Each structure stands twice: as C-alpha cells, then as structure tokens.
Amino acid sequence: MPLPKSIQAEAAELRQALNEHNHRYYVLDAPAITDQAYDRLFRRLQQLEQEYAELASADSPTQRIGSEPASHFESVAHEVAMLSLDNAFDEEEMLAFDRRLRDKLDHAAPLAYCAEPKLDGLAVSLLYEAGELKRAATRGDGRSGENITANVRTVASIALRLLGSDLPERIEVRGEVYMELAGFEALNRKQQETGGKVFANPRNAAAGSLRLLDSRITASRPLSFCSYGIGLIEGAVLPPGQYLQMQYLRAIGLPISRQIELLDSIDDCLDYYRRILDQRDKLAFDIDGVVFKLDDSRLQRQAGFVSRAPRWAIAYKFPAQEVMTRLLDVDFQVGRTGALTPVARLEPVAVGGVMVSNATLHNMDEIERKDIRIGDIVIVRRAGDVIPEVVAPVLQQRDGDLPRPQMPLRCPVCDSEVLQQPGQSAFRCIGGLVCAAQRKEAIKHFASRKAMDIEGLGDKLVEQMVEQNLIESVADLYHLPLEQVAGLDRMADKSARNLLDSLRQSKQTTLARFIFALGIREVGESTAESLAAYFGELDALMDADVESLQRVEDVGPVVAENIRHFFDQENNRAIVEKLIDAGINWPLIEASQQAQTLEGKTYVISGTLEGYSRDQAASLLKARGARVSGSVSAKTTAVITGENPGSKVAKAETLGVEILGQSEFEALIGEDS
Ligand code: I6G
C-alpha cells in the first residue's frame, strides 16, 4: 500500500513530540506528560512503523532496542584527540594549578572556572551530522577508539536526533556514559538470579555494558549519559566559554550535569569542591572528584596543552572509595538468630577518608563466588554510610596457593555446634540463649527504636550487662536494680535513673511493637503489624497453628513455621510470661480474624485520616487481606484520602484510579455503622 501523506505527517509529528518529551525528561528534568501518555505516543509510532516499512528511519525514537550482534568493534580514528586530565589531590595542588595558569596567561586577576562533578563512568565521543547521531566511539588510546554506535544508540538519554532548526553541520560531543547506583544494584540482583556476570562497581557495569557485541543486551542495561565537552564543530559558532557551551548542548538536546556552575575564582572552586564532597553520598551516581575548566575559550587556546592533557583543566580527586589492601584473616560474627557472617580483618587502609580495618564479606557463597582467599590483596569499597565491603580479590597479585576461609564447626562465642539448615545458605550456631552473642543481639534488637524503644540502652551498655551477667534475657531488663546499673562503665546515678525511667516508659507499648521486639526470625515490623491486627491478642498468636498463621498478610509457610517454632520453645514462652508479669501492656485492639473482604485489592493512603494513624489504617486494611502500597500505579484499586492529601491524588486522577474519603474508608473496614 502506498504511504498516505497523512500517515507520513502523523509519524513525523509523533517523532518530534517524542523527541521533545525525551528532551524534557532526560535533559531538562521537566517532564510534561505522564509515562503512560508517553507510552501511548510511542506505541502509536511503533504501530505505524510496523505497518508502513517506508517510515523506517535510524533516528526514530523507537530505534533503541539494539540490533543483531556484531562480530567485533571497528576501530575509529578521533579527528580531534581525546585527551586525559591532570589530577590534583589537595588544595595546595589546586592553588598551584591556578598560579601556573595565571603566570602562563600573564593574568593577574582571578580566573573564572566552569566546575562540575567528575562522573565515574566511561568517556565516549558522539558525532552528529546534520543533527543526526552518526557514530559513537570509546576514548581508546585517545587517538583512536572503538566504534560502539549500535550500543550507544540504545542509551535513552542520548539524542538520536538533535533539537532545533539551526544545527551545526557536524558536532562531536564528549561525555561520560555511567550507571546510577539503583540501576547498578538492580542489574547485579538480576545477574545473580540468572547466573550472569556480577559487576564489582557501577563503572565496570557501564563499561561492560557498552562493550557487549549484542546491543540488544545493552538496551536492557540502565545506562545514562552526561556531556562534558565539544571536540569538533563545523557550520556553527560556539559561545565563547565552557559554561555557555554546555548550556548550548542542553538546548540542542543533550544532558549536562545538574551541578554545573560558573565560578569567579580559585577560592570559589575550593568551596565548590567541599560542597560537592558533602553531597557525594546523597547523589544517585558515583563521582570521583570535581573537574574545573578555565571558562574562557580564547584563554584556553592560549594556555594550550602539556603532553596529553589540557593546561586549562584539572580533576580535583576525592579520597578513593575503592582501595586495595591485604586480607589478613576472616573471623565469624554471630547475629541475633545465630547466623554466622564472615568478617574480613584487613591491613588498615584509608577508604573514602576513613581508616578501615574490618569489612563485610556477606556470606560463604559470596566468598566462594568471588574466590577470596586469606592473604589476598583485595579491593575494599566504602560508599556513604554503608558498611565497608570486600568487592573482589586482585587475582594478578595472588602469591601461590592461598587458603580459603572455612566456616568453623563450632561457634566462636559459645562453642555450640554450627549447622547449616537444609535448603538454606546461612550457617547457624545452635546455642540459642546459651550463646552470649545471640543474647546480646536479641537484647539490642528488643531495645531498638522500632521495637520497645528503650532510650539510653545502647549497644555498649547491653554488651556490658551481658558480659557481667546482669541479664540473661530481655525479661531481666525490667528487674535491674539501680545500684547495678549505676555501677556499669560510664554510668552514674543520674544516667542509671534515666535508664530505669525509660525502661518503665517502654512497658506501655503496642502489640505490634512487642511482637517485633521478640525477634522471631523473619518477622519484621510490617509482618508484626499484620499479626497484631489479625490476632488482636498475644495468646491467640502464641497458640495459632501454621495454617491459621498463613492466613495473615505477608506470612508464608516459612515465616509461619518460624513463628510456631518460636512459641514452641518453653524458654521463649517463659520469657514472654515474665515480660507480661513485669507490666508490659498495650491498648486492646479488636481481633480481626475475619473474612478477607479486601483480598486482591491494593490501596494507597494519602493525607491524615481522622482517628487513625497511617500505620493503624494500613493495619486495618491489611488485616482484611488488602495490600497497602506507597505509590499509585495503574494496579492501585483506590487512593484513600484524608486531610491534606499529597500529589498521589493527582496521579490517581491521571491514571483513572478511584479516590475514596474517610467515610468510604470506614465502610471498607466495616466501621461505618
Ligand atoms: O575524562 C573527563 C571527564 C570529565 C574529561 C573532562 C571532563 O570534564 C567534566 N574534560 C576533559 C577536557 C577531558 N576529560 C579531557
């Protein structure tokens, strides 16, 4: 069938609209339509392109799905060399850089710099001709790289066609392809589940994804792009400085750093560095420093280059978040449920500005998968507040045949047997409350904020109490004599009194908190809430059989067995009784062992409901079999609104999701009569 003019026009309009929406979403951070509306436009264009082969076009927004695998990457010569950057590691080196530059330029006044964070990714070059992405290449050795066009075309934030009418004939844009942390973690989870390669860090994941011969796989990887410079320009005149050039790239459809700033002097650069270092752990992606560029293009040309780096730019590096050190030994820590986790003892090393001598090894499966041996040089990573972890051994540096860490046969704390339950990867000490480590952890959990919330009972204090045999189990907490507490290290009469006061206050709690505080394996806060709402009282829960336990939201066969097993232990029942005798109490709630009238429904709560906290409202819904979610989607049954509802209502309206008020909520939970 010949291609009707109206279809051609519709496809052109759809492409333009989709390109503009991509630009708003990926470059301007200002989307104008919902994801669903975008999908509708996208699917319509796909449908037209399938129906009319003549519409095929390499720069159509639908062409990001990858193509047939290649056998190798062609080599590409860079028309303008891709240089590297000089580094600075402290303020003195930064001041020296600025001084050298001012001397070279004979410029006494402060110089203006353009600053942006240095992304930890992979440098790429994008060549656009008449606005169309023609070729993408890696940096390679700076003179030539590899042609990775097919892969780069799948990166959603890289425009296949630039925006605007007055585009240069040719422009070569440089930037960094990187992976955000959330995407990296999701990718690694998926890789682990499917037996694929697990990546050590987001940078390796980004590099590995860009170097796949099958671009259809690259298309499934969460890659992003950020421009940082222009290599070549023909048929247009660029603005006269780095900062404005970056704004120009943004205007024609390419993402630039959100944190880019134009600074007046080197002192402002030092401030900027401190600000970005402060934000480092809150960013969605890894950065390894800040890049400062002399802003004025004319002065840049005058300054020129030394060997393979521009004289007018510098990367001021952050303390490394990944370093190498030696793994001296592996110890095993015993947790609340008796699980033994391997801990790396390391030759002390500074990571991200902090000295580290211990790091987690996660579990024995991870040790085996990564093939970590005692004595290896290992890569240690510490990012943000997360516990430092051993990422991988450096196999090239392994010296001979090193021993593999072995799970001990007996508990390092109480010498009880260590067993692996069939079908589970964890090894556990079977000592239970005989084991001081398990007792300490159980008491710390019991006292924690989301459990009994015993203010002033910190980890160190619990450890002392157990070590000095003041307490055997959580039940003893409520019978501690003042003098014994006051006699502990770093305690005085006043702090001891305060602690006894908090213990007294903690007795007034909720059933959900109490259940959570007991530390039953795999019973988290949310499950504890569901159990409390369903059973209404402790005795009913303690006596429930596995079948009735499984009627509760979130409780499957394993958790039901754990709960049953916990209450089958005589000593656990005795501890619970002792706690109740000590005066722990909670307001009565109505048992809901009732028909699951809301089974299969999903609700979102927005705003404040009169007479119900959000947790209470959620528990009441869950007790009737509903799911309660934090975000609205097409699958949401209804949004329940109270006073001052938030943006969720607007989202519900867009998606056509039902909106309920207080009285309709009460009707749902059967409290409307
Ligand atoms: O590798 C780089 C990362 C970031 C760069 C760079 C950059 O600017 C933000 N800029 C230049 C000029 C070079 N490499 C050579």
Side-chain angles (χ1 to χ4, degrees), residues 23 27-28 162-165 167 244-256:
H23 181 229
V27 182
L28 304 181
L162 298 178
L163 294 175
S165 49
L167 292 169
L244 289 178
Q245 287 173 11
M246 293 298 100
Q247 302 306 319
Y248 169 72
L249 290 185
R250 185 168 190 255
I252 61 172
L254 290 161
I256 62 168

Side-chain angles (χ1 to χ4, degrees), residues 103-285:
D103 284 351
K104 173 95 187 154
L105 299 170
D106 207 8
H107 197 286
L111 288 167
Y113 292 96
C114 178
E116 64 183 277
K118 187 170 187 305
L119 286 159
D120 208 359
L122 205 81
V124 297
S125 134
L126 310 175
L127 179 65
Y128 289 89
E129 289 180 355
E132 199 180 320
L133 176 64
K134 283 288 183 217
R135 198 197 64 201
T138 60
R139 184 211 299 259
D141 64 4
R143 289 179 212 293
S144 65
E146 288 178 321
N147 186 330
I148 51 164
T149 314
N151 290 346
V152 163
R153 290 176 55 84
T154 69
V155 178
S157 54
I158 295 183
L160 299 178
R161 160 153 286 281
L162 298 178
L163 294 175
S165 49
D166 193 17
L167 292 169
E169 281 154 34
R170 298 177 85 217
I171 181 167
E172 191 225 333
V173 178
R174 282 142 187 213
E176 207 88 10
V177 169
Y178 64 100
M179 199 177 279
E180 292 202 347
L181 296 162
F184 162 71
E185 276 149 23
L187 170 64
N188 262 357
R189 274 196 300 278
K190 197 169 88 188
Q191 294 291 95
Q192 199 147 20
E193 276 161 27
T194 55
K197 180 181 165 58
V198 173
F199 297 98
N201 54 43
R203 188 186 182 285
N204 290 5
S209 303
L210 270 190
R211 294 206 73 265
L212 288 165
L213 289 168
D214 189 342
S215 53
R216 292 170 302 191
I217 305 177
T218 310
S220 71
R221 301 281 170 86
L223 294 171
S224 303
F225 175 75
C226 179
S227 322
Y228 66 67
I230 298 171
L232 172 152
I233 180 96
E234 287 173 14
V237 178
L238 289 174
Q242 172 73 18
Y243 181 79
L244 289 178
Q245 287 173 11
M246 293 298 100
Q247 302 306 319
Y248 169 72
L249 290 185
R250 185 168 190 255
I252 61 172
L254 290 161
I256 62 168
S257 172
R258 270 187 230 182
Q259 286 84 14
I260 194 162
E261 282 185 34
L262 180 57
L263 306 170
D264 287 337
S265 67
I266 192 70
D267 285 340
D268 289 354
C269 292
L270 301 180
D271 276 349
Y272 178 87
Y273 173 89
R274 287 189 282 264
R275 264 193 287 138
I276 299 292
L277 183 55
D278 245 17
Q279 292 170 22
R280 183 187 201 182
D281 295 336
K282 294 180 211 93
L283 295 176
F285 40 81

Side-chain angles (χ1 to χ4, degrees), residues 83-85 116 118 139 176 228 291 293 310 312:
L83 304 172
S84 51
L85 281 177
E116 64 183 277
K118 187 170 187 305
R139 184 211 299 259
E176 207 88 10
Y228 66 67
V291 179
K293 291 176 183 168
W312 42 265

Side-chain angles (χ1 to χ4, degrees), residues 105 240 245 294 296-305 312:
L105 299 170
Q245 287 173 11
L294 178 61
D296 186 320
S297 306
R298 197 177 47 84
L299 292 182
Q300 283 185 1
R301 278 190 294 278
Q302 212 176 315
F305 301 86
W312 42 265

Side-chain angles (χ1 to χ4, degrees), residues 343-368:
V343 180
R345 304 293 177 212
L346 304 164
E347 215 158 79
V349 65
V351 199
V354 170
M355 283 310 277
V356 164
S357 47
N358 304 316
T360 178
L361 286 157
H362 300 293
N363 55 52
M364 293 310 277
D365 289 349
E366 282 282 284
I367 293 180
E368 196 164 319

